[in-house]
Amino acid sequence: MTGIAPRPTLEAVAARAGVSRATVSRVVNGGDGVREPLVERVRRAVEELGYVPNQAARSLVTRRHDAVAVVVAEPESRVFADPFFALQLRGISKELTAQDNQLVLLLTEGRDDHARVARYLAGGHVDGALVFSLHLDDPLPGLIQQAGIPTVFGGRPGWNGDRNDVVYVDSDNRGGARDAVRHLVGLGRSRVAHITGALDQTSAVDRLDGYRDVMGDADPRLVAEGDFTPGGGERAMRELLDRCPDLDALFAANDLTASSALRVLRERGLRVPEDVAVIGFDDMLPVAEQTDPALTTVRQDIEEMGRLMARLLLRGVEGEPGSVVLPTTLVRRGSA
Amino acid sequence: MTGIAPRPTLEAVAARAGVSRATVSRVVNGGDGVREPLVERVRRAVEELGYVPNQAARSLVTRRHDAVAVVVAEPESRVFADPFFALQLRGISKELTAQDNQLVLLLTEGRDDHARVARYLAGGHVDGALVFSLHLDDPLPGLIQQAGIPTVFGGRPGWNGDRNDVVYVDSDNRGGARDAVRHLVGLGRSRVAHITGALDQTSAVDRLDGYRDVMGDADPRLVAEGDFTPGGGERAMRELLDRCPDLDALFAANDLTASSALRVLRERGLRVPEDVAVIGFDDMLPVAEQTDPALTTVRQDIEEMGRLMARLLLRGVEGEPGSVVLPTTLVRRGSA
DNA sequence: GGGTGCGGCGAGAGCGCTCTCACCAGGGTG
DNA sequence: CACCCTGGTGAGAGCGCTCTCGCCGCACCC
């Protein structure tokens, strides 16, 4: 329909401003070492022609891309229906935008995709990668490390400790869990139960560890395994009530779990918080605020985690000594 | 730490295979017009050297990028905590991956970002754009159309009709709403209320229109304005009950709204579905299945919408006559 | 006044690829 | 036997940019 406007090149701008290509390039890239009147003339020419640098040409010589890949391994669809990830993505996007970087999103579906992602990353299309490693046995992080590009992980990767060149950003899952359980104990509760998350994820393991830090191994029957989903939470809660009808508090591994637990408790005629005090984890607003009663929970600043991941990556992973663990805060509402 | 492996070039592969650069290029790009033995030799050389084409160099000459931008205007943070978008993104990602395209995610925060996005798109970094235009007064779609790159919209854009060169993918919001309301009427309900979505979004307007298609303008007091959020749903439900205590059914603009309405109804001592039958919209699983009773709702295949958007864009927008509206289905659960 | 230094600018190479074009077989055709 | 295709291959230009290098003019100093 419309004639495609031929995009102006550096050459065109140079001609219009009456200078060389090199000078235009200098101005476009910050203008150091060019005298003011020339800078002005070039700026005007750029403006008038609507010049936009060709990123492909630029990358070809600089070998930089001003682009970062965000890799999300998604073995189960559950992960993606999770506002958690969306918020983190948002934080990442904000930071990248602020630094004039683009966000290339790589979602993987199953094992076959791993090779594809690894090839893409190794292919030098992006300057770095932000990786969400969700499961302990996920081969993806390893493949990516092999690709040899700067990488920051979201959440502590499973193979912990043995590789100290790994940079990650995580919440203080263990500390947050401790705070929650201590709060319950401070309320005078002594039979504090815990529904874990999916234990192939470090966040779930860390939260369980936090619980144990306070409760010790007192009564192992007070711990039931969940999987972060409402369905798993429901099952675990029933299990717990059958095993330990005398429990007087619950620390759930996340808000979704806590929310289903709340339903089971009501169904059994137990009052919250009078009979059983309940605390969740995440502070996912649509969930935590809408339960009845509203959920006391451990807040983690998810968006900030994302932002930090991006910042760490861009500031150059090499310089950074290690990882960042963000603090959590207990948010008191009605349930405990 | 490690010596950075110098990535092999076409030249290197050509040398190893004993052919010219041109021939290697041909093989890498499909191998048409090259005789079998040569193809084999080149393939082996590629394999041995671990050659990966340099996308920047390629784009420089082809002016293609094999990358598509996904633009999400996000005036409110609400949008992003929405699984809706995540699912669509997933569909898009699957389709793009299948076609060897990359997904560049552009999230906009407020007005200032619009110019940035427009510049990026006009800058020819991507081959096309998928745009989620959420609000009627959003200037972004206009700006993007100006950028002159192929575009497919997610959801019918606000400025409807007057531009028939606009391609979009949408659910049959109006038809789905009709089905829902008809179902309620079929249940013998006559006082069917409606809580709308945010009426600056076409999906909300279309669902309201669907409601009116069945109910006519009978009793305007049976319609209350919501905004797709739980808070708005709660307020609207109270309003409705105060105005029309005799209502016996509710069609809510989405599941989140329906879910809060359910809570208000219970709080007022009304039974669902005996006293008031309730239907939502979306079939967002974590929400719709976890309410009490489980929510009857209008399902839209969100992931398929995303996939279709990508397909439409890649298949060449020019050839396509127009837009696609996907059907919805009523999912019966306990609430109606 | 002639060297020396230095900062601003332009010339030109070259990043790794695609694509046009010319070349060169080899096999039909008149 | 000269001719023309036709299909496979290589040579080479050039995409738009950055960056090194060398030149030039202008102090500055001995």
Side-chain angles (χ1 to χ4, degrees):
Chain A
M1 196 69 76
T2 71
I4 296 166
R7 292 220 286 135
T9 69
L10 252 203
E11 190 74 50
V13 178
R16 179 158 196 127
V19 297
S20 73
R21 267 197 339 268
T23 297
V24 177
S25 176
R26 277 187 271 258
V27 171
V28 169
N29 292 296
D32 298 343
V34 180
R35 258 191 283 252
E36 197 42 49
L38 270 198
V39 171
E40 202 40 55
R41 247 171 47 215
V42 172
R43 289 252 162 80
R44 202 163 41 236
V46 166
E47 192 72 22
E48 287 166 359
L49 296 175
Y51 170 75
V52 183
N54 180 320
Q55 185 59 39
R58 183 178 275 177
S59 297
L60 184 55
V61 35
T62 58
R63 279 126 203 289
R64 300 196 67 256
H65 300 85
D66 297 320
V68 168
V70 172
V71 182
V72 184
E74 186 199 11
E76 291 123 86
S77 60
R78 187 195 74 74
V79 174
F80 212 158
D82 204 324
F84 189 94
F85 168 66
L87 280 171
Q88 227 157 349
L89 198 56
R90 191 177 167 199
I92 290 171
S93 165
K94 279 187 183 169
E95 184 67 23
L96 289 182
T97 296
Q99 313 271 340
D100 260 314
N101 268 256
Q102 296 309 322
L103 192 170
V104 177
L105 189 64
L106 304 176
L107 304 177
T108 76
E109 306 277 344
R111 304 277 149 151
D112 298 343
D113 261 17
H114 288 159
R116 178 181 64 84
V117 168
R119 206 169 343 108
Y120 181 79
L121 294 179
H125 301 263
V126 291
D127 301 327
L130 299 174
V131 180
F132 293 87
S133 158
L134 296 149
H135 295 271
L136 285 176
D137 59 347
D138 198 328
L140 195 58
L143 284 173
I144 289 170
Q145 291 258 312
Q146 255 173 259
I149 68 170
T151 304
V152 173
F153 288 89
R156 183 167 63 82
W159 20 277
N160 51 346
D162 58 332
R163 308 196 50 160
N164 51 9
D165 56 339
V166 170
V167 179
Y168 65 85
V169 174
D170 204 351
S171 278
D172 184 8
N173 288 304
R174 189 163 183 165
R178 267 195 305 257
D179 290 347
V181 178
R182 278 205 197 105
H183 177 71
L184 291 169
V185 170
L187 254 35
R189 313 291 168 132
S190 57
R191 300 286 290 165
V192 180
H194 176 45
I195 300 178
T196 72
L199 289 174
D200 61 341
Q201 301 180 31
T202 56
S203 59
V205 174
D206 291 351
R207 288 171 202 181
L208 174 56
D209 286 346
Y211 167 83
R212 289 201 174 126
D213 287 345
V214 180
M215 298 301 292
D217 292 325
D219 187 348
R221 292 176 311 150
L222 282 170
V223 176
E225 189 166 342
D227 56 6
F228 286 134
T229 70
E234 200 171 312
R235 198 176 359 84
M237 190 70 243
R238 287 189 211 288
E239 228 176 279
L240 282 173
L241 286 173
D242 292 345
R243 279 206 300 249
C244 312
D246 63 332
L247 63 84
D248 55 12
L250 170 72
F251 166 54
N254 71 344
D255 288 349
L256 244 47
T257 301
S259 157
S260 341
L262 244 36
R263 272 209 320 285
V264 172
L265 288 169
R266 186 170 50 226
E267 181 189 301
R268 299 268 177 123
L270 292 163
R271 292 164 308 159
V272 175
E274 293 83 353
D275 299 326
V276 181
V278 175
I279 298 189
F281 206 110
D282 282 351
D283 196 28
M284 270 181 201
L285 285 189
V287 176
E289 281 186 336
Q290 300 300 323
T291 57
D292 179 19
L295 201 59
T296 293
T297 190
V298 179
R299 167 181 297 164
Q300 43 181 346
D301 191 342
I302 302 172
E303 190 175 326
E304 179 62 19
M305 283 178 69
R307 197 174 297 142
L308 214 55
M309 285 177 70
R311 204 172 302 155
L312 239 51
L313 188 66
L314 295 178
R315 295 274 189 271
V317 178
E318 305 82 6
E320 293 291 332
S323 306
V324 177
V325 175
L326 289 173
T328 58
T329 55
L330 189 69
V331 179
R332 297 200 49 184
R333 296 204 182 86
S335 72
Chain B
M1 199 70 75
T2 72
I4 295 167
R7 292 221 284 134
T9 70
L10 253 203
E11 191 75 49
V13 177
R16 180 160 196 124
V19 297
S20 72
R21 267 197 338 267
T23 297
V24 178
S25 176
R26 278 186 271 260
V27 171
V28 168
N29 292 294
D32 298 343
V34 179
R35 257 191 284 253
E36 196 43 49
L38 270 199
V39 171
E40 204 38 57
R41 242 164 58 210
V42 172
R43 288 252 163 80
R44 202 164 40 237
V46 166
E47 192 71 25
E48 288 166 359
L49 295 175
Y51 170 74
V52 183
N54 180 321
Q55 185 59 40
R58 183 178 273 175
S59 298
L60 184 55
V61 33
T62 58
R63 280 123 203 291
R64 300 196 65 257
H65 299 86
D66 297 321
V68 168
V70 171
V71 183
V72 184
E74 186 200 9
E76 291 124 86
S77 61
R78 187 195 73 73
V79 175
F80 212 158
D82 204 326
F84 189 95
F85 168 67
L87 280 171
Q88 228 156 349
L89 199 56
R90 191 176 167 200
I92 290 172
S93 164
K94 279 186 182 170
E95 185 67 25
L96 289 182
T97 297
Q99 313 272 338
D100 261 314
N101 267 255
Q102 295 310 321
L103 193 171
V104 177
L105 189 63
L106 303 175
L107 304 177
T108 74
E109 306 277 343
R111 304 275 149 151
D112 299 343
D113 260 18
H114 288 159
R116 176 180 66 84
V117 169
R119 206 170 342 109
Y120 181 78
L121 294 178
H125 301 262
V126 291
D127 300 328
L130 299 174
V131 180
F132 292 88
S133 157
L134 295 150
H135 295 269
L136 285 175
D137 59 348
D138 199 327
L140 195 60
L143 284 172
I144 288 170
Q145 290 259 310
Q146 256 172 259
I149 69 170
T151 304
V152 173
F153 288 89
R156 183 167 63 81
W159 22 274
N160 51 346
D162 58 333
R163 310 196 49 163
N164 51 9
D165 57 338
V166 170
V167 178
Y168 66 85
V169 174
D170 205 351
S171 276
D172 184 9
N173 288 304
R174 188 164 184 164
R178 270 198 302 258
D179 290 347
V181 177
R182 276 203 199 106
H183 178 72
L184 291 170
V185 170
L187 253 35
R189 313 292 168 131
S190 57
R191 301 285 288 163
V192 180
H194 177 45
I195 300 178
T196 73
L199 289 174
D200 61 341
Q201 300 181 31
T202 57
S203 60
V205 173
D206 292 350
R207 288 170 201 181
L208 174 57
D209 286 347
Y211 167 84
R212 287 202 174 125
D213 288 344
V214 181
M215 297 303 290
D217 292 325
D219 186 346
R221 291 176 312 152
L222 282 169
V223 176
E225 190 167 341
D227 55 6
F228 287 133
T229 70
E234 199 172 314
R235 200 176 357 84
M237 190 69 244
R238 287 191 211 288
E239 228 176 277
L240 283 172
L241 287 173
D242 291 345
R243 278 207 300 251
C244 312
D246 62 334
L247 64 83
D248 55 12
L250 169 71
F251 167 53
N254 70 345
D255 289 349
L256 245 46
T257 302
S259 157
S260 340
L262 244 36
R263 271 209 322 284
V264 173
L265 288 169
R266 185 170 52 225
E267 179 188 303
R268 299 267 178 124
L270 293 162
R271 292 164 308 159
V272 176
E274 294 82 354
D275 301 324
V276 181
V278 176
I279 299 189
F281 206 110
D282 282 351
D283 196 29
M284 269 180 203
L285 285 190
V287 175
E289 281 186 336
Q290 299 301 323
T291 57
D292 179 19
L295 200 60
T296 293
T297 189
V298 180
R299 167 182 298 164
Q300 42 183 346
D301 191 342
I302 301 171
E303 189 174 327
E304 179 62 19
M305 284 178 69
R307 197 174 297 142
L308 215 54
M309 285 177 69
R311 203 171 303 156
L312 240 51
L313 187 68
L314 294 178
R315 294 274 188 269
V317 177
E318 306 81 6
E320 293 290 330
S323 306
V324 177
V325 175
L326 290 172
T328 58
T329 55
L330 190 68
V331 179
R332 295 202 51 186
R333 294 203 183 87
S335 71

